[in-house]
Amino acid sequence: MGHHSCCNKQKVKRGLWSPEEDEKLINYITTYGHGCWSSVPKLAGLQRCGKSCRLRWINYLRPDLKRGSFSPQEAALIIELHSILGNRWAQIAKHLPGRTDNEVKNFWNSSVKKKLLSHHDHLLLPSLTTSVETFFPLTPNPKNTNIILNPHLNHHQNQIYLPTSSSSLIQGLQFDHEASQDLKIHNLLHAPNPNLQEISPSSYEDTWSLVNQENNLLCPHYIDEKFMNPGSTFQNHEGQPVDPSIEQKIFQSTIEDYNVSSSQEQEPLVARNIHSYPSSGGFGYPPQDQSQMADLAANHMEFIDAIISSFPLSSSLSSSSSSLLSSNNQVVTNTPSFPSCWGP
DNA sequence: AATTGCTCCAACCGCGTCCAA
DNA sequence: CTTGGACGCGGTTGGAGCAAT
């Protein structure tokens, strides 16, 4: 079994990287860039092969990597993308900023796959409605008391929509044929969020313009979109661009607010928005008491269960692109129908 | 306290593709 | 056209860390 030619020219170290090696690699690449990977170890003073350096940099040392566990949004996205793309981890990871293909692959193999198989083994699931209610013990955000959920709006065309912003994330998936034949995640900002339909017009205006700091009411789609596409721009409900300075200010304050409020719970920002949607006392109703609140301290894996339960059982286990095909083998573009109040 | 079993993930391996010579 | 080096990707492995016994 041959090692790569670049690894044969000199005796190379293998196995775990030491902090000293990491430092050497970081110093070299931040100063000179990686250039040709095969020359990096020599120039950086490392007894490694170029391939190992590349892998270490891409999977671990890159400054733009997001560390920590996957958020429910990310998990939902991975599951959905996997049902479409199969084991094309690099393609999946492209839609998860700060995540590597290796990370996504490990997450899938260690967490999701087993749960999918487990669900597959229990074909006699309760009704989807029941399973959703069972699997969505979400912690409500008491600040968002003016969001009123309509339970009937969580079901649409025989499809269970997650009662969270992640459902909109999934609905927002489309297949962009004209561009690159690659999956594009868009329309997130304008995807329907049925849960928000009953916000009063004035609150709604504020949600869209993202300036309702007093109520800490932020558009979940905005947060999602910002996480998925940090460089993207937004329009308000009138189709006008959001003032970048306001956008920056609001988003920054959101992050700061999150950092304060999350001191006890290490969750990604997006996860908090899921908690905006109460479901515990039945959809749309806050929990009744403290013990119920405690019961609602859902961890992320429960959320993954919920996501899995809401998917067709076979799709996420398949490595084919079947979920993009309708029964007559035509590509389904999952274009949501937008409520008029959600913009163009 | 020692041992065993399990999980998770960093790292490795082999293969395919691209491209320049 | 062929060859070989570089790179990227997906599958697999090894071991650190943790829990159970």
Side-chain angles (χ1 to χ4, degrees):
Chain A
M1 41 194 253
H3 297 137
H4 280 252
S5 55
C6 67
C7 307
N8 292 333
K9 291 174 184 171
Q10 55 184 6
K11 192 174 182 179
V12 295
K13 186 185 170 190
R14 294 155 76 182
L16 295 179
W17 281 63
S18 68
E20 292 75 24
E21 289 178 306
D22 283 344
E23 191 179 350
K24 283 182 179 179
L25 188 59
I26 290 171
N27 286 340
Y28 177 79
I29 292 180
T30 53
T31 305
Y32 303 105
H34 62 75
C36 176
W37 281 111
S38 59
S39 62
V40 164
K42 184 182 176 184
L43 295 171
L46 291 161
Q47 302 292 319
R48 295 272 182 174
C49 74
K51 196 168 185 173
S52 180
C53 293
R54 175 184 162 272
L55 206 65
R56 183 63 178 172
W57 176 258
I58 288 174
N59 284 341
Y60 203 84
L61 299 177
R62 260 165 49 200
D64 58 327
L65 287 179
K66 187 196 295 182
R67 310 302 301 178
S69 58
F70 283 81
S71 70
Q73 255 88 3
E74 289 175 311
L77 188 55
I78 288 169
I79 292 166
E80 175 63 11
L81 287 172
H82 186 271
S83 74
I84 297 166
L85 297 168
N87 292 0
R88 294 161 69 186
W89 307 116
Q91 287 293 314
I92 294 172
K94 282 179 184 174
H95 297 291
L96 294 147
R99 302 293 190 183
T100 68
D101 56 344
N102 208 34
E103 209 174 358
V104 171
K105 180 173 57 183
N106 283 334
F107 175 67
W108 181 269
N109 287 331
S110 63
S111 300
V112 182
K113 197 173 185 177
K114 271 179 289 186
K115 288 186 173 294
L116 284 171
L117 289 170
S118 170
H119 280 277
H120 204 255
D121 288 341
H122 296 81
L123 292 174
L124 293 176
L125 282 170
S127 73
L128 279 175
T129 303
T130 304
S131 68
V132 167
E133 294 200 42
T134 302
F135 281 117
F136 277 102
L138 302 180
T139 306
N141 181 348
K143 291 179 179 178
N144 287 345
T145 52
N146 55 342
I147 293 182
I148 302 169
L149 298 182
N150 181 339
H152 303 294
L153 292 173
N154 288 293
H155 309 269
H156 185 243
Q157 295 175 346
N158 297 324
Q159 179 181 355
I160 296 294
Y161 286 153
L162 311 182
T164 72
S165 52
S166 68
S167 66
S168 306
L169 204 69
I170 293 168
Q171 293 173 53
L173 287 171
Q174 287 195 341
F175 209 73
D176 191 334
H177 297 279
E178 293 183 1
S180 62
Q181 293 293 310
D182 189 16
L183 274 171
K184 299 291 181 187
I185 299 169
H186 56 131
N187 283 334
L188 292 182
L189 192 59
H190 292 153
N193 187 335
N195 298 333
L196 288 176
Q197 285 188 347
E198 298 200 13
I199 294 175
S200 68
S202 59
S203 297
Y204 177 74
E205 290 281 327
D206 288 339
T207 302
W208 259 112
S209 57
L210 307 166
V211 292
N212 191 349
Q213 294 185 74
E214 188 176 303
N215 292 330
N216 190 33
L217 182 61
L218 289 161
C219 173
H221 295 295
Y222 175 79
I223 304 300
D224 285 339
E225 177 75 1
K226 267 301 178 190
F227 260 78
M228 301 310 296
N229 301 297
S232 56
T233 58
F234 298 98
Q235 297 175 340
N236 62 17
H237 63 291
E238 293 175 336
Q240 301 300 315
V242 174
D243 184 334
S245 62
I246 295 176
E247 181 181 309
Q248 173 67 27
K249 184 179 173 184
I250 300 301
F251 193 64
Q252 186 62 40
S253 71
T254 306
I255 292 173
E256 288 168 0
D257 175 60
Y258 168 73
N259 287 338
V260 171
S261 66
S262 66
S263 59
Q264 295 175 330
E265 47 171 2
Q266 294 300 311
E267 287 184 305
L269 175 60
V270 285
R272 192 185 56 149
N273 289 282
I274 284 174
H275 296 171
S276 301
Y277 301 98
S279 67
S280 58
F283 283 125
Y285 299 95
Q288 301 302 308
D289 52 40
Q290 286 296 321
S291 65
Q292 196 175 23
M293 283 284 286
D295 291 340
L296 299 179
N299 62 34
H300 288 173
M301 296 319 294
E302 286 175 327
F303 201 91
I304 294 170
D305 278 338
I307 294 162
I308 292 167
S309 296
S310 70
F311 273 78
L313 282 170
S314 60
S315 66
S316 291
L317 287 171
S318 165
S319 61
S320 71
S321 300
S322 58
S323 64
L324 269 182
L325 302 176
S326 65
S327 56
N328 56 357
N329 283 343
Q330 290 187 326
V331 173
V332 174
T333 53
N334 189 16
T335 307
S337 56
F338 305 138
S340 58
C341 59
W342 274 86

